[in-house]
Amino acid sequence: MASSNGGLWNRWKQPLMWSISLVVVWLIALTSRKHAHALHRKAQHHFSQLPSVSVEFKPPPARYNGSKIALLIEERPIKHLTPLLLHMLYVVPPEWQLFYLGSAESLSMVNRSPAIQHHQIEGKLQLKTAPQNASYAAQEQRNRMLTDVAFYREYLPAAEWLLMYHADSILCANAQTDLNDWLKYDWIVLTFQTRQDEAEPEDQWLSDRIKVLPGVKLPTAEVEKTFAVEGIWDEKPLGIHVPSSNEVLLKDVWDDAEQRKKTLEYCPEIKMVMKMKLERERCEEKTAEEIQVETEARKQVEKQIEEQKEEAEKVRKEKERKEEDRLKSTENKAEKVEGEGGGV
């Protein structure tokens, strides 16, 4: 009998356990459902007590609108173009864009860089084919292009502030000022006169016309030299320009060993655009003929800079003279009116 009872229990043990488990699960589900409904009602009650909030989504404003442009025009496939562009992308203020106008060859070279491609997608950098008359080989054609308002209307229609730099110039990352600090001064006027062919270079031509505009605001010579070092040395400028594509190093800036050391420590990135060699790669002593050629080239560049300074000084004195004449005329009129009033 015991054996029969044991066999019966073993036979119904597993089905009975499954049935009990199923009943327990149903009970838990029913209980949880009741609690879930209760929690839902409480949550609805609490949410109804909260103040209503209205959220209106507005897309962010466009980061770049083309009003502040740093422009490089260089059709030659110079090896340091890509690192120069990448450096400038990070030292100009955030809202400034970079435009690069080059030849098919130079554009292809620059555009192989993934970093360059990234900044194009972001909108910070634009690459375009330069006009045919942008070549350095035809300097007069280039001067005509850069003094023609049609060029700016076609390539830079939204530009209000424009920095033009060359492949032999760079902004210094250690500078304590940036381009926005110079926006309080007048830079360039697009509604300028027509430049006569074979006249002065475009930068001098534009500069001369800005200086004679009524009410123009320009930096003093002392302030101006802190913008970019070229022929006059400054210890902590915003940028540096090595003229004549590094063929000539002006003595007032580069001949003094202490000045040269300070410049290279303050703005080490200038080495990127300079023709330099490692100490072990130094050439043998130059011949007398090479020294003479270099000296003549340097004298020519220095002469041009001196002529520009003299011309600027003439413009300044002429402006001061006109202002004195205006003040005297105003005083004479006032005295005349006062005299006539006294007679009455």
Side-chain angles (χ1 to χ4, degrees):
M1 185 70 180
S3 177
S4 176
N5 290 338
L8 185 64
W9 168 250
N10 290 334
R11 182 179 178 184
W12 292 100
K13 178 181 177 181
Q14 188 171 3
L16 183 62
M17 294 299 294
W18 279 109
S19 299
I20 294 172
S21 299
L22 185 60
V23 171
V24 171
V25 169
W26 282 346
L27 289 173
I28 293 174
L30 290 172
T31 305
S32 300
R33 190 175 181 183
K34 290 180 181 179
H35 283 295
H37 285 304
L39 288 173
H40 182 66
R41 287 195 299 270
K42 287 183 178 180
Q44 282 186 325
H45 171 72
H46 288 301
F47 276 116
S48 66
Q49 304 300 314
L50 294 174
S52 60
V53 178
S54 176
V55 178
E56 182 181 357
F57 173 76
K58 291 184 178 180
R63 188 174 180 184
Y64 310 111
N65 59 15
S67 63
K68 296 178 178 179
I69 302 294
L71 173 66
L72 172 62
I73 306 175
E74 179 56 74
E75 83 286 356
R76 298 169 295 181
I78 302 174
K79 298 302 181 183
H80 68 262
L81 278 180
T82 299
L84 173 61
L85 285 169
L86 291 173
H87 171 79
M88 295 293 284
L89 281 164
Y90 286 101
V91 294
V92 298
E95 74 276 16
W96 282 70
Q97 286 177 279
L98 260 69
F99 280 23
Y100 170 57
L101 305 184
S103 63
E105 185 179 2
S106 65
L107 288 171
S108 175
M109 179 191 73
V110 168
N111 209 28
R112 286 197 292 266
S113 165
I116 290 289
Q117 296 171 16
H118 166 75
H119 287 293
Q120 288 183 83
I121 295 172
E122 188 187 39
K124 181 77 169 177
L125 172 66
Q126 290 193 27
L127 306 183
K128 296 182 179 181
T129 302
Q132 292 183 351
N133 53 354
S135 174
Y136 276 101
Q139 189 61 50
E140 175 57 24
Q141 290 187 14
R142 186 182 177 92
N143 289 332
R144 294 177 192 176
M145 177 192 74
L146 294 176
T147 53
D148 185 356
V149 70
F151 165 76
Y152 299 93
R153 287 174 177 166
E154 178 179 354
Y155 286 89
L156 307 161
E160 297 180 19
W161 301 99
L162 175 66
L163 170 71
M164 294 188 65
Y165 66 102
H166 304 293
D168 54 9
S169 59
I170 201 166
L171 294 181
C172 301
N174 282 326
Q176 298 302 303
T177 61
D178 63 27
L179 291 176
N180 287 336
D181 293 318
W182 292 82
L183 299 188
K184 58 188 175 183
Y185 301 111
D186 292 302
W187 284 23
I188 188 171
V189 181
L190 292 183
T191 55
F192 38 69
Q193 310 163 26
T194 302
R195 174 182 175 273
Q196 298 297 317
D197 293 347
E198 307 300 334
E200 59 267 51
E202 46 85 17
D203 52 352
Q204 183 181 344
W205 188 88
L206 291 169
S207 177
D208 290 345
R209 275 142 190 82
I210 293 174
K211 292 172 182 174
V212 297
L213 291 174
V216 69
K217 185 175 182 180
L218 297 175
T220 63
E222 190 66 23
V223 173
E224 185 179 359
K225 73 173 187 176
T226 67
F227 181 76
V229 163
E230 184 182 76
I232 302 175
W233 186 75
D234 186 75
E235 189 170 358
K236 295 183 178 180
L238 176 59
I240 299 176
H241 176 219
V242 186
S244 301
S245 298
N246 295 294
E247 296 296 337
V248 179
L249 294 178
L250 300 180
K251 62 179 182 180
D252 288 347
V253 176
W254 298 102
D255 276 12
D256 185 283
E258 188 62 27
Q259 282 186 185
R260 187 166 61 248
K261 180 182 178 182
K262 288 182 178 180
T263 298
L264 295 176
E265 288 178 349
Y266 168 74
C267 192
E269 55 267 49
I270 189 61
K271 301 174 187 176
M272 189 188 306
V273 303
M274 296 180 71
K275 294 181 179 178
M276 305 180 71
K277 291 186 177 183
L278 298 175
E279 184 69 23
R280 62 176 178 270
E281 296 176 333
R282 292 183 64 180
C283 301
E284 297 178 0
E285 293 296 327
K286 296 179 181 178
T287 64
E289 184 178 354
E290 290 174 332
I291 294 174
Q292 183 179 359
V293 171
E294 184 177 302
T295 302
E296 291 299 323
R298 176 186 288 183
K299 286 180 179 178
Q300 186 176 358
V301 174
E302 291 175 346
K303 181 181 178 182
Q304 291 176 353
I305 293 176
E306 287 301 321
E307 289 175 350
Q308 292 177 7
K309 291 180 184 177
E310 291 175 2
E311 184 63 27
E313 185 63 19
K314 288 180 182 178
V315 172
R316 186 188 65 79
K317 288 182 178 180
E318 180 64 17
K319 188 174 180 180
E320 288 180 353
R321 185 188 64 78
K322 289 182 178 180
E323 181 65 15
E324 290 177 0
D325 292 345
R326 187 187 66 81
L327 292 174
K328 287 180 180 179
S329 176
T330 303
E331 290 175 358
N332 291 337
K333 288 180 181 179
E335 291 175 358
K336 185 178 180 182
V337 171
E338 184 179 350
E340 290 175 353
V344 173

